Amino acid sequence: MKSPDPLVERWTATRARNSSRPALLDPTGRILRTFSDIEHQARDLEERWSHLPAGTALAVQIGNHPSWPSVLLAGLRCGLVLLPLETTITERERTAALELCRTRALVTAHDGNSVELEEIGDGTPTPLMANPRPVLLKLTSGTTAAPRAIRFRSEQLVADCDQICATMGIGEDDLNFGVVPVSHSYGFSNLITPLLARGVAMVLGRDRLPRAILDGLARTRATVFPGVPVFYQAFCGVDDIPDLRSLRLCISAGAPLSAQLARSFRDKFGQPIHSFYGSSECGGICYDRSGEDFQDGFVGLPMQDVQLDLVEPDAPASQVRVRSAAVGDGYFPEPDPAKLGAGTFLPDDLLAPCGEGFKMAGRISDLINVAGKKVNPAEVEAHLLSLPGVQQAVVFGRSSALRNEEVAACVVADHNVSEADLLRLCRARLSGWQVPKRIFLLAEIPVNERGKTNRRELAARFAQTEK
């Protein structure tokens, strides 16, 4: 007899406790779904998708749609393998993802309340892999631009959810405010699974303008806001702040949080931002429980039930090996057991001990090879951010015929700051190979919808053209 799915089991208990209670709201406070409504839609979708063979890969591209919890439940009950896709990806990227995961069907949003299924390919089922069969695939590009998928079972999704809620103190009395994409690992683990496994209701929003988010937080009386640094930066520039007395927990993930931004937000809003560090491959890794350690890139201590082993314990900054019940089973289609598998994951990030915890200190893949010397972009960024008038800085490597790579930077600074001034100050404090060859002054640093800056894209945009 087949064992019941752990996430479906948790949902059954959740629904029994919360049957008529609101589960999903819009930013005005209007009820979109009760917990019973989610179950009714899930059963309807399960019946409509029952013809799909177990193991079929089902792509889901519906954005922050209220049908997401029902889609996941129906997929679990039908034995399908869900592949969340962000709505912002290009047609080329979507095609590549569908081919990579051998996807047979695609779910898209029909309207604000329902979704529709489109069968693609020749209709022949293509089992993704042997046991253990996943229930979810998360796309990641890793250290290269080539996509690959991470395999997850329900046990791992539930473990990540429990670690997040226990570490952050999130429970059924809370109301999550969701504007981060639920198709991404951060939104999925902080919004979708806590609703299903632990009964944490949520607001689903699509308007990412700062004023709209703040007004939505006030109207719904949301208590928890999972955000990214770019949101908090924008909030600090908003006047006439609405009443946010119900908001008790502000979380920041997706990109390192600067000490300056953390202080500015606390001074203006009267509460701290708690940094959260995680990865698609393993879920949550570290969390700043106090929000009061004002250090650039500080991420706190390991999450509850997560173990970190320093690869180079005596080095100033080291990779860490993550061990937890939430770590994915491996990559697909090409496994990489040295990096991911058997309950462990080795991120490319470098962590450095910092006070009562760790801080982000760059990535192995971001190191710049300048004539054989390795430059850590985070060190150059820290120096640039210490200079008068500099607000933001991102450092990256550009191809160089003479030195393999050269250091370059994009900076947001006060109007009276010039490239020549910054270069002069860098030469005074940095080693010669660390000094940027060029510093590009921008009005803003481009980021994606998760608040991340892509160094590879900046390197391509500001490629070396001088002879």
Side-chain angles (χ1 to χ4, degrees):
M1 181 177 177
K2 182 182 176 182
S3 300
D5 181 273
L7 186 49
V8 174
E9 276 195 306
R10 292 285 290 270
W11 164 250
T12 301
T14 294
R15 182 170 56 87
R17 295 192 308 270
N18 300 280
S19 181
S20 60
R21 179 171 159 246
L24 297 170
L25 297 87
D26 72 10
T28 70
R30 180 172 64 93
I31 297 172
L32 300 174
R33 301 280 195 281
T34 64
F35 283 86
S36 287
D37 291 336
I38 290 174
E39 174 68 9
H40 292 153
Q41 185 183 16
R43 289 297 184 184
D44 177 62
L45 293 175
E46 179 186 0
E47 183 177 347
R48 288 160 53 189
W49 299 347
S50 59
H51 66 287
L52 295 173
T56 296
L58 177 68
V60 182
Q61 192 177 29
I62 58 177
N64 282 18
H65 194 282
S67 295
W68 237 116
S70 301
V71 167
L72 177 57
L73 288 168
L76 293 172
R77 288 169 173 158
C78 290
L80 307 178
V81 182
L82 268 63
L83 171 66
L85 297 178
E86 296 182 23
T87 56
T88 54
I89 62 174
T90 65
E91 187 66 28
R92 180 185 60 80
E93 290 170 329
R94 186 174 83 164
T95 299
L98 296 178
E99 292 177 353
L100 175 80
C101 297
R102 304 171 191 176
T103 310
R104 179 180 169 182
L106 171 67
V107 178
T108 54
H110 178 63
D111 54 33
N113 288 309
S114 61
V115 295
E116 58 184 19
L117 180 76
E118 174 190 355
E119 297 195 38
I120 54 182
D122 60 6
T124 304
T126 308
L128 282 174
M129 57 206 72
N131 290 328
R133 190 171 68 201
V135 301
L136 187 82
L137 297 175
K138 295 182 185 178
L139 282 181
T140 181
S141 60
T143 58
T144 70
R148 54 183 174 176
I150 312 155
R151 299 157 36 212
F152 286 93
R153 290 171 284 116
S154 283
E155 291 88 342
Q156 294 150 334
L157 301 179
V158 169
D160 187 30
C161 168
D162 287 343
Q163 288 165 190
I164 286 171
C165 291
T167 303
M168 300 181 185
I170 299 172
E172 279 191 3
D173 292 337
D174 281 307
L175 177 61
N176 265 318
F177 194 93
V179 288
V180 293
V182 298
S183 56
H184 182 253
S185 182
Y186 177 27
F188 186 89
S189 297
N190 275 70
L191 298 168
I192 297 294
T193 50
L195 184 147
L196 296 178
R198 299 178 75 107
V200 184
M202 67 169 161
V203 178
L204 271 179
R206 302 182 187 184
D207 191 337
R208 297 162 64 88
L209 291 175
R211 168 58 68 185
I213 295 173
L214 291 174
D215 287 345
L217 286 166
R219 289 194 191 102
T220 60
R221 298 182 180 178
T223 60
V224 180
F225 178 66
V228 294
V230 68
F231 286 161
Y232 295 109
Q233 183 73 54
F235 293 164
C236 288
V238 174
D239 296 324
D240 301 322
I241 301 169
D243 182 357
L244 299 177
R245 72 183 70 184
S246 296
L247 183 62
R248 67 167 192 85
L249 180 60
C250 293
I251 307 162
S252 179
L257 181 71
S258 72
Q260 179 184 2
L261 175 54
R263 283 197 184 93
S264 297
F265 184 84
R266 188 197 59 179
D267 292 345
K268 183 162 187 171
F269 289 85
Q271 62 176 297
I273 302 173
H274 298 263
S275 287
F276 174 37
Y277 164 51
S279 177
S280 297
E281 284 86 346
C282 64
I285 299 174
C286 289
Y287 179 68
D288 177 10
R289 289 157 173 82
S290 74
E292 299 290 345
D293 290 87
F294 297 113
Q295 299 280 344
D296 288 336
F298 185 76
V299 293
L301 290 167
M303 306 277 290
Q304 180 170 310
D305 297 325
V306 174
Q307 177 185 338
L308 298 188
D309 299 322
L310 292 171
V311 175
E312 299 180 81
D314 299 325
S318 170
Q319 286 181 274
V320 296
R321 191 169 293 279
V322 182
R323 303 177 189 275
S324 90
V327 175
D329 282 326
Y331 292 113
F332 178 82
E334 297 295 332
D336 186 357
K339 187 174 182 64
L340 175 65
T344 68
F345 171 56
L346 183 67
D348 290 329
D349 300 305
L350 297 171
L351 297 188
C354 178
E356 295 297 320
F358 296 94
K359 70 175 181 179
M360 303 294 296
R363 289 174 63 84
I364 289 290
S365 57
D366 289 336
L367 295 180
I368 304 167
N369 184 359
V370 181
K373 295 183 180 293
K374 297 295 189 292
V375 176
N376 187 337
E379 295 177 2
V380 183
E381 288 169 356
H383 175 67
L384 286 168
L385 289 168
S386 73
L387 301 179
V390 175
Q391 302 164 23
Q392 294 176 269
V394 178
V395 172
F396 52 94
R398 303 194 304 171
S399 296
S400 169
L402 296 178
R403 299 188 297 174
N404 188 42
E405 288 186 290
E406 65 181 29
V407 180
C410 288
V411 166
V412 176
D414 295 346
H415 70 278
N416 59 340
V417 175
S418 70
E419 179 185 13
D421 292 335
L422 296 177
L423 289 173
R424 175 175 52 80
L425 293 170
C426 285
R427 294 187 188 105
R429 294 275 302 276
L430 296 174
S431 299
W433 62 87
Q434 293 178 305
V435 176
K437 278 290 183 181
R438 287 293 313 275
I439 296 178
F440 301 94
L441 296 171
L442 305 180
E444 61 180 7
I445 303 291
V447 297
N448 62 21
E449 65 174 0
R450 300 194 300 274
K452 285 189 175 183
T453 300
N454 189 316
R455 297 181 198 272
R456 286 193 297 266
E457 290 181 0
L458 287 178
R461 177 177 171 183
F462 297 97
Q464 170 69 281
T465 57
E466 296 91 346
K467 299 296 185 182

